[in-house]
Amino acid sequence: METLEVSTSSRRRGARIVGVLNVTPDSFSDGGRFTTVERAEQHALQLVACGAHIIDVGGESTRPGASTVSAEEELRRVRHVIERLVRRGIRVSVDTRRSEVALAALAEGAEFINDVSGGLCDPRMLGVVAESNATFIASHWAGGADSPPPPGSILASVVDDLGQRLESCREAGLERVILDPGLGFGKSAPQNWEIIGGLGELRSLGAPILLGHSRKRFLGATLGDLDSPASRDVMTAAISLIGAEAGVWGLRVHQVEYTRDVLRSLVSH
């Protein structure tokens, strides 16, 4: 397990690229494409070949309007994929809000639990991860993607809420915690851009930051294209560059090559 560091700049160390692998039929960007173990495995291998350091496996969509699935179904979707990837030596993160899914994923060798609710959806989650040697990724939830955004500025509230989440994680015994500002979850397009511009304030919390900006709807709103997630990849890469310059720990993206190339541009200068 690598040591999490927050003081080293992205220029010296390089932000990690976390490749997105949705094994769901209804994810907003690639739902239905990787629902078999074989297709999921091949896509993960492609992401790693293109530069991903970690693969984030998700078995339940959290897009606006997504249907909730049972823990049994979520686990059925991810378990054998995790097993295959770990066997190939790939570092695996699992995107789940359920402690029972997290427990099974950790047993299969997952190193990261990426909970978009930050542990708020399942009161057992923090304890399950604390009993392992895994890293917990806690997002700013704001009630989920279907929640209406509050009016006005949001950065101070996000920083405060994530600070409280970090404190709760520490109290639960978690030693390895990464914070995610939860772009797209209960936030307007201007508020998402405000957070991107305030990454330095988020880093002041003293924990590594993961930025999950890839193909999000607010990018489509900026581009005037709400129907084609893949058309947002260039802007995704631009934000990856902003995040890396700001010293974030990781960048969670669907299209790895563009982010890989912009990170290389930092190293070359």
Side-chain angles (χ1 to χ4, degrees):
M1 179 72 66
E2 69 176 328
T3 301
L4 297 179
E5 297 180 8
V6 297
S7 59
T8 304
S9 74
S10 61
R11 284 185 180 275
R12 291 172 52 198
R13 180 72 182 264
R16 288 85 174 157
I17 301 175
V18 180
V20 178
L21 177 58
N22 292 315
V23 292
T24 57
D26 58 343
S27 290
F28 78 96
S29 175
D30 51 12
R33 293 184 59 195
F34 313 114
T35 53
T36 70
V37 175
E38 291 74 21
R39 287 181 181 176
E41 180 181 19
Q42 287 305 308
H43 186 58
L45 290 171
Q46 182 181 11
L47 291 172
V48 170
C50 290
H53 303 98
I54 299 160
I55 299 298
D56 189 47
V57 181
E60 181 184 45
S61 175
T62 53
R63 64 170 175 79
S67 300
T68 301
V69 301
S70 67
E72 292 75 17
E73 174 61 17
E74 183 184 356
L75 189 53
R76 183 195 67 78
R77 293 174 180 179
V78 303
R79 176 172 245 151
H80 295 301
V81 176
I82 299 167
E83 180 187 14
R84 289 273 191 100
L85 301 189
V86 170
R87 191 186 306 161
R88 284 187 174 271
I90 295 173
R91 306 185 71 196
V92 174
S93 167
V94 177
D95 184 350
T96 183
R97 294 175 286 174
R98 295 185 172 96
S99 60
E100 56 263 57
V101 175
L103 186 63
L106 294 168
E108 295 292 350
E111 296 183 36
F112 302 81
I113 297 298
N114 180 11
D115 183 348
V116 295
S117 79
L120 293 173
C121 282
D122 186 337
R124 296 173 296 177
M125 178 64 88
L126 299 186
V128 164
V129 183
E131 290 177 1
S132 72
N133 199 34
T135 298
F136 186 62
I137 303 173
S139 292
H140 183 263
W141 180 230
D146 290 311
S147 297
S153 176
I154 199 172
L155 179 60
S157 175
V158 171
V159 172
D160 184 61
D161 289 350
L162 283 177
Q164 292 180 39
R165 281 288 82 207
L166 181 60
E167 184 177 349
S168 295
C169 289
R170 299 300 190 208
E171 289 174 352
L174 282 159
E175 297 181 0
R176 297 177 175 86
V177 182
I178 296 169
L179 300 177
D180 182 335
L183 296 175
F185 290 95
K187 301 169 183 72
S188 67
Q191 289 169 343
N192 287 311
W193 287 112
E194 179 191 7
I195 290 168
I196 291 168
L199 291 173
E201 293 188 46
L202 288 167
R203 288 194 66 212
S204 71
L205 291 170
I209 301 297
L210 174 69
L211 199 58
H213 54 296
S214 183
R215 297 181 175 176
K216 289 291 177 73
R217 178 172 286 269
F218 77 95
L219 301 181
T222 302
L223 292 167
D225 180 5
L226 295 176
D227 299 322
S228 177
S231 70
R232 307 165 195 168
D233 284 335
V234 172
M235 187 168 285
T236 294
I239 297 172
S240 292
L241 181 60
I242 293 171
E245 287 275 25
V248 302
W249 173 88
L251 301 156
R252 183 181 182 273
V253 296
H254 296 83
Q255 212 274 13
V256 167
E257 297 98 315
Y258 290 176
T259 286
R260 174 201 65 196
D261 289 348
V262 299
L263 295 186
R264 284 176 176 173
S265 75
L266 289 178
V267 175
S268 64
H269 288 83

